[in-house]
Amino acid sequence: MGTPRPTDAEQAETIVDRLEAAYPDSTISLRYSNRLELLIAVILSAQCTDERVNAETKALFEKYDGPEEYAAVSQDELAEDLSSITYYNSKAEYIRTTAERIVEEHDGDVPDTMDELTELSGVGRKTANVVLQHGHDIVEGIVVDTHVQRLSRRLGLTEEERPEAIEQELMELVPEDYWQQFTHLCIDHGRATCTARNPDCGDCVLADICPSEKGDSEIDLASGEPW
Ligand code: SF4
């Protein structure tokens, strides 16, 4: 078991420093070329890997251009276009109704406020945060996905379980300049080393400050269960 830094804020800063050194090019891995494509890619990425989404959106973004085209396509055709994505039927409906609303209520532009974004179908606070950060350069919060959720708990930054509650705690601890990057650093470390089932604590740059480190700790703080 590592020894966390004296305060939670120092723990957060040390985590950011170490991960930034380990993953200097960390950034969003979804591919898109405009705000609508970003929004669609993020909706599709729920419970699905970014690789799978990128593979599917290559053809999707060539076939459809602009919210009017997504709003006009039939449910069956769009679902068929997305058939390798998890929950493709629901996601096709989210995309169609979201596109309709963008055309009818936002002059064809993806909105740039949290309230307006979260009124769209299939768009929760996590998706809205990604779109604000990467589509509009507005950083209002921290994107809490499954990696951020797991690592924040393992590393002792929070005991909360719900993403919204975790986000509020992280916003108190992570320096504001790093709210956007914190997510990408956690995702990179979560994929490379601190994986859900078999984290490689022996090769982790955070091992000495991680209270879940497998060498001594018997508990994975992410799940609260024994390793
Ligand atoms: S890999 Fe192990 S030591 Fe590193 S952050 Fe994850 S649980 Fe902690």
Side-chain angles (χ1 to χ4, degrees):
M1 171 172 161
T3 306
R5 308 282 290 136
T7 68
D8 289 348
E10 286 173 82
Q11 176 82 343
E13 277 181 45
T14 305
I15 290 166
V16 167
D17 285 349
R18 300 248 189 111
L19 293 184
E20 204 179 26
Y23 309 99
D25 302 320
S26 190
T27 189
I28 188 167
S29 54
L30 291 170
R31 292 209 203 95
Y32 59 94
S33 63
N34 57 50
R35 288 169 183 154
L36 181 65
E37 289 184 0
L38 170 62
L39 174 58
I40 289 170
V42 184
I43 289 173
L44 293 176
S45 71
Q47 323 254 340
C48 191
T49 66
D50 289 357
E51 290 72 24
R52 165 62 40 208
V53 172
N54 285 338
E56 194 82 343
T57 53
K58 201 163 182 286
L60 188 79
F61 294 160
E62 278 171 20
K63 181 173 176 182
Y64 300 98
D65 185 22
E68 296 81 1
E69 294 193 11
Y70 288 99
V73 68
S74 73
Q75 169 68 20
D76 285 351
E77 184 173 348
L78 189 56
E80 175 67 30
D81 290 334
L82 300 174
S83 59
S84 76
I85 303 265
T86 48
Y87 307 114
Y88 60 91
N89 258 318
S90 308
K91 290 176 182 176
E93 192 173 339
Y94 292 151
I95 290 168
R96 289 174 59 253
T97 49
T98 280
E100 244 171 55
R101 197 151 182 176
I102 286 173
V103 171
E104 287 169 10
E105 298 177 17
H106 300 286
D107 291 330
D109 295 324
V110 174
D112 63 357
T113 67
M114 179 64 76
D115 285 348
E116 288 172 313
L117 280 165
T118 51
E119 279 174 9
L120 301 171
S121 302
V123 179
R125 189 172 166 92
K126 183 184 85 171
T127 298
N129 262 326
V130 178
V131 172
L132 287 174
Q133 291 180 7
H134 292 278
H136 295 285
D137 282 330
I138 296 171
V139 182
E140 270 193 24
I142 296 176
V143 176
V144 178
D145 77 340
T146 180
H147 295 286
V148 175
Q149 192 173 15
R150 183 176 72 254
L151 266 71
S152 300
R153 287 174 55 83
R154 271 187 184 157
L155 287 158
L157 293 178
T158 183
E159 293 181 6
E160 297 286 352
E161 294 183 356
R162 287 183 312 108
E164 295 77 10
I166 292 173
E167 182 186 2
Q168 293 309 312
E169 287 218 338
L170 290 177
M171 285 163 69
E172 300 285 321
L173 301 175
V174 176
E176 195 166 347
D177 287 354
Y178 283 94
W179 283 3
Q180 180 168 327
Q181 203 55 9
F182 183 77
T183 300
H184 301 308
L185 293 170
C186 285
I187 290 172
D188 278 352
H189 195 56
R191 285 176 177 156
T193 305
C194 192
T195 56
R197 298 226 173 107
N198 192 23
D200 187 1
C201 299
D203 191 27
C204 175
V205 294
L206 302 173
D208 62 311
I209 59 164
C210 177
S212 298
E213 192 268 328
K214 283 198 285 187
D216 291 316
S217 173
E218 291 180 359
I219 301 289
D220 172 8
L221 292 177
S223 63
E225 302 288 325
W227 286 114

